[in-house]
Amino acid sequence: MLLAFDVGNTNIVLGVFRDGKMITNWRLETDNGKSADEYGMIIGQLFEYEGLDKDEVKDVIISTVVPSVLYTLQHLSVKYFNKKAIVIGPGIKTGLVVKYDNPKQVGSDRIVNAVAAHAKYGGPLIIIDFGTATTFCAISEKAEYIGGTIAPGLKISSEALCEKTAKLPKVELEEPGHVICRNTINSMQSGLVYGHMGMVDYIVRKMKKELQEYSGSNKEVKVIATGGLASMIDSGIDCIDHVDKMLTLEGLELIYRKNKKVKKHDSDENKEH
């Protein structure tokens, strides 16, 4: 089995794969204060609840945008699974050509999403990840990571409204059903949710045009959405073609297989010499 960690600023999503297929997944809160032992006990209980044997885990792979959590999970991997974790970063084979000015600045989650989406849906495509930040990534037909856009996520925007104003309260992130609202709660929900939908629709239109200009082709650009709030945003706009909640975990499994083949090939060559 393969244990995959997708570490975001708000949540850690874990997936367990057997023979290339995901058999279960869980979501934990990202907590810089938790030790490897605390996470280890939680994950051990999750394995026990699902009837899984930790000894069957052959490898661990980690994608993280939270550097402070990386050491904790690497330590957990060695102590509780007796494996040195594969970490998404420089030197990892992905199959993408990254066109960013500084490729090291691209978040590992964005790279992993791009690998999965291009493998599943082909290109050109736009990937929108509705996480703590809402990110837009443009991928060419030739699997080139061209670049993208980063905007504040819905939760960040909601928290900012509450924290930076004297009278506005915390609100649930849900559609109020109308934009002409008659109370503060609905007014905030309208601005947050429908404002986000409008932003997504505008950026996707601009990005599609730029992608087609880049490639010199009018080929249809697919739009793939992932992340916890993807379904809610998708319900109010027409520009998203597919909502794929497990995109990042599936990307980690694909990258694992790419690198496992590379390691096996290198090992075979060394034996020949």
Side-chain angles (χ1 to χ4, degrees), residues 5 25 35 67 74 79 94 126 141 164 180 196:
F5 287 88
N25 64 87
S35 67
Q74 287 176 308
K79 183 171 182 179
T94 64
I126 295 166
E141 188 175 0
K164 300 299 182 181
I180 300 177
H196 215 73

Side-chain angles (χ1 to χ4, degrees), residues 100 106-114 135-137 145 147-150:
Y100 230 55
V106 185
S108 62
D109 56 335
R110 299 173 78 183
I111 294 296
V112 173
N113 284 343
T135 60
F136 301 76
C137 299
Y145 184 98
T149 292
I150 302 173

Side-chain angles (χ1 to χ4, degrees), residues 227-246:
L229 296 170
S231 296
M232 182 174 68
I233 299 301
D234 175 54
S235 69
I237 53 180
D238 298 323
C239 63
I240 295 172
D241 297 307
H242 302 281
V243 173
D244 194 333
K245 294 288 187 70
M246 294 293 110

Side-chain angles (χ1 to χ4, degrees), residues 3 10 21 26 44 47 54 70 80 83 89 98 104 108 111 116 120 128 132-133 170 174 183 209 217 230 239 248 256:
L3 174 60
T10 304
K21 294 183 179 180
W26 307 290
F47 266 71
K54 288 193 300 180
L70 178 57
Y80 288 89
K83 304 296 177 188
V98 181
K104 292 181 180 179
S108 62
I111 294 296
K120 292 179 73 173
I128 312 170
T132 305
K170 286 186 177 181
E174 57 186 37
N183 62 69
K209 183 179 178 182
S217 167
C239 63
T248 315
Y256 167 73

Side-chain angles (χ1 to χ4, degrees), residues 76-87:
L76 175 152
S77 177
V78 172
K79 183 171 182 179
Y80 288 89
F81 296 96
N82 197 31
K83 304 296 177 188
K84 182 179 179 181
I86 300 166
V87 179

Side-chain angles (χ1 to χ4, degrees), residues 202-215:
Y202 180 80
I203 290 176
V204 165
R205 277 191 283 115
K206 291 276 287 182
M207 196 171 278
K208 279 185 174 182
K209 183 179 178 182
E210 290 179 21
L211 252 175
Q212 289 174 337
E213 289 173 352
Y214 175 87
S215 63

Side-chain angles (χ1 to χ4, degrees), residues 15-270:
V16 180
F17 293 83
R18 179 182 284 131
D19 299 326
K21 294 183 179 180
M22 189 187 303
I23 57 176
T24 191
N25 64 87
W26 307 290
R27 184 178 294 267
L28 305 176
E29 182 184 9
T30 303
D31 185 349
N32 290 316
K34 272 193 172 61
S35 67
D37 290 327
E38 288 174 301
Y39 274 123
M41 293 303 294
I42 293 169
I43 295 168
Q45 290 172 350
L46 292 171
F47 266 71
E48 186 176 341
Y49 178 79
E50 294 286 349
L52 299 174
D53 184 354
K54 288 193 300 180
D55 291 338
E56 288 187 39
V57 173
K58 303 301 181 187
D59 279 299
V60 177
I61 188 167
I62 302 170
S63 167
T64 180
V65 297
V66 188
S68 58
V69 177
L70 178 57
Y71 173 78
T72 299
L73 295 183
Q74 287 176 308
H75 183 49
L76 175 152
S77 177
V78 172
K79 183 171 182 179
Y80 288 89
F81 296 96
N82 197 31
K83 304 296 177 188
K84 182 179 179 181
I86 300 166
V87 179
I88 304 301
I92 293 293
K93 181 178 174 64
T94 64
L96 291 178
V97 177
V98 181
K99 296 289 189 176
Y100 230 55
D101 291 340
N102 182 355
K104 292 181 180 179
Q105 290 181 344
V106 185
S108 62
D109 56 335
R110 299 173 78 183
I111 294 296
V112 173
N113 284 343
V115 169
H118 195 273
K120 292 179 73 173
Y121 304 103
L125 56 89
I126 295 166
I127 306 157
I128 312 170
D129 191 342
F130 295 96
T132 305
T134 297
T135 60
F136 301 76
C137 299
I139 316 300
S140 75
E141 188 175 0
K142 298 177 181 178
E144 298 166 306
Y145 184 98
I146 300 168
T149 292
I150 302 173
L154 264 170
K155 289 182 179 178
I156 284 180
S157 301
S158 178
E159 289 168 5
L161 270 180
C162 176
E163 292 173 5
K164 300 299 182 181
T165 57
K167 291 187 176 181
L168 295 182
K170 286 186 177 181
V171 297
E172 293 293 327
L173 288 174
E174 57 186 37
E175 290 188 61
H178 38 264
V179 294
I180 300 177
C181 304
R182 293 181 172 83
N183 62 69
T184 300
I185 299 294
N186 286 166
S187 295
M188 292 174 67
Q189 290 172 328
S190 175
L192 288 164
V193 176
Y194 297 136
H196 215 73
M197 288 177 181
M199 176 194 73
V200 169
D201 191 60
Y202 180 80
I203 290 176
V204 165
R205 277 191 283 115
K206 291 276 287 182
M207 196 171 278
K208 279 185 174 182
K209 183 179 178 182
E210 290 179 21
L211 252 175
Q212 289 174 337
E213 289 173 352
Y214 175 87
S215 63
S217 167
N218 289 323
K219 185 174 181 179
E220 180 187 0
V221 178
K222 301 181 186 72
V223 181
I224 315 301
T226 190
L229 296 170
S231 296
M232 182 174 68
I233 299 301
D234 175 54
S235 69
I237 53 180
D238 298 323
C239 63
I240 295 172
D241 297 307
H242 302 281
V243 173
D244 194 333
K245 294 288 187 70
M246 294 293 110
L247 192 67
T248 315
L249 289 179
E250 290 176 356
L252 283 169
E253 197 278 331
L254 283 169
I255 291 174
Y256 167 73
R257 275 191 277 144
K258 286 177 184 289
N259 286 272
K260 189 177 180 183
K261 287 178 182 177
V262 170
K263 287 181 179 179
K264 185 178 186 300
H265 178 70
D266 290 345
S267 176
D268 290 344
E269 284 189 344
N270 290 334

